[in-house]
Amino acid sequence: MAVNGSIEGERRRRELVELARTAGEISIEQAATQFDVSTMTIRRDLEMLEVEGSVRRVRGGAVPATGPRSYDERLATRGSAKRAIARKALDLVPRRGAIALDASTTVNALAEMLGDHGALTACTNSVQTFELLARLGGVEAQLTGGAHEAITGSLVGPIANAGARLLHTRVFFTSSDGISPEGGTSEASLAEAEVKRHLAQSADATVLCADSSKLGKRSTGMALELSAVSTLITELDPADPRLDPYRDLVEIR
């Protein structure tokens, strides 16, 4: 019986890790209901998973552990939220001029919606987004260049940073691994954080596109202060109280 219980616990913890990765967060109460166990059992599971480095505990639950995740893994996470954010962001894309897009899957969802957008130049440090943009009519796609970061799929390093500075853009669309009112945006990769700073410095305005699981979270590399961000777009209703800490800092959509 003890062996069976141990096997069941291992299975549950594997599913908890997968839930954290796909949903972006775990609620202790919801997980206890889903797995038909006590909240104390879930707390012990999360303690073990945090020691293993699989999750990071937060009040009321846990979020995925910080660290670069593959492009495909990020692409499969919170897809409906990313599409909702992209639809809101589409209104801020100019018909002409230049824009910059980071290597996030959230901003890639925006690129998928661009279509024929007139005389628009779009620069990105994402190989995947560049390939998507290159197939669009009316969009001149530019790639920053740089070293390919195998896990995230983004281009980073001195050449990417230099490429990010070469083009003056009207809007930089970016996401982040974490957002806090005090610390601004943060990334799992220090190199990714650096190239985003250069892209933001070359833009007239920076639009932060991030789903609600990123709110209140801090990751390894500090990227942008919120004073450098003009607009925050999430999948939430702008009146949602979860956005209250950011209202005096950025425009919310």
Side-chain angles (χ1 to χ4, degrees):
M1 184 64 123
V3 172
N4 289 338
S6 177
I7 292 173
E8 178 65 22
E10 287 294 330
R11 182 194 63 80
R12 184 178 61 248
R13 285 186 285 276
R14 285 197 301 269
E15 293 184 13
L16 284 169
V17 172
E18 183 61 24
L19 180 62
R21 289 175 176 170
T22 56
E25 58 188 348
I26 300 170
S27 162
I28 290 174
E29 296 289 343
Q30 292 176 359
T33 300
Q34 178 176 336
F35 293 100
D36 193 25
V37 295
S38 69
T39 57
M40 185 57 67
T41 296
I42 297 297
R43 289 181 192 277
R44 285 195 294 266
D45 285 342
L46 296 182
E47 288 174 3
M48 293 176 64
L49 292 172
E50 185 173 50
V51 171
E52 294 173 1
S54 300
V55 302
R56 179 171 60 87
R57 285 185 297 163
V58 296
R59 178 175 297 179
V63 296
T66 57
R69 294 186 297 156
S70 71
Y71 185 88
D72 289 342
E73 185 180 349
R74 289 181 288 127
L75 193 64
T77 303
R78 297 179 68 85
S80 60
K82 292 173 182 176
R83 290 187 292 272
I85 292 166
R87 285 191 291 270
K88 292 183 183 182
L90 192 61
D91 291 338
L92 300 179
V93 177
R95 296 294 301 179
R96 295 181 177 274
I99 62 172
L101 307 172
D102 75 1
S104 67
T105 53
T106 301
V107 172
N108 182 267
L110 169 62
E112 289 180 339
M113 296 182 183
L114 285 180
D116 189 339
H117 224 72
L120 186 67
T121 297
C123 178
T124 182
N125 69 317
S126 165
V127 174
Q128 290 90 346
T129 300
F130 172 79
E131 291 175 345
L132 190 160
L133 293 169
R135 295 193 295 268
L136 298 178
V139 177
E140 179 185 344
Q142 299 282 348
L143 197 60
T144 60
H148 185 247
E149 195 171 62
I151 296 177
T152 65
S154 59
L155 298 178
V156 296
I159 294 176
N161 296 336
R165 294 193 300 267
L166 289 177
L167 188 66
H168 171 232
T169 58
R170 296 179 62 182
V171 189
F172 171 39
F173 294 93
T174 183
S175 189
S176 68
D177 194 50
I179 312 164
S180 72
E182 305 82 11
T185 73
S186 55
E187 305 297 331
S189 161
L190 289 170
E192 182 72 14
E194 186 176 17
V195 73
K196 289 188 182 187
R197 285 195 296 273
H198 288 288
L199 287 166
Q201 289 165 7
S202 298
D204 291 335
T206 294
V207 175
L208 178 57
C209 305
D211 71 73
S212 58
S213 70
K214 311 295 179 63
L215 298 176
K217 177 183 174 184
R218 288 196 184 191
S219 199
T220 304
M222 304 309 296
L224 304 176
E225 295 182 1
L226 289 186
S227 60
V229 174
S230 57
T231 307
L232 169 61
I233 301 177
T234 74
E235 83 281 12
L236 302 174
D237 185 297
D240 193 292
R242 283 172 284 183
L243 295 168
D244 288 349
Y246 305 89
R247 296 195 189 282
D248 295 335
L249 302 173
V250 294
E251 176 191 359
I252 293 176
R253 288 192 174 219

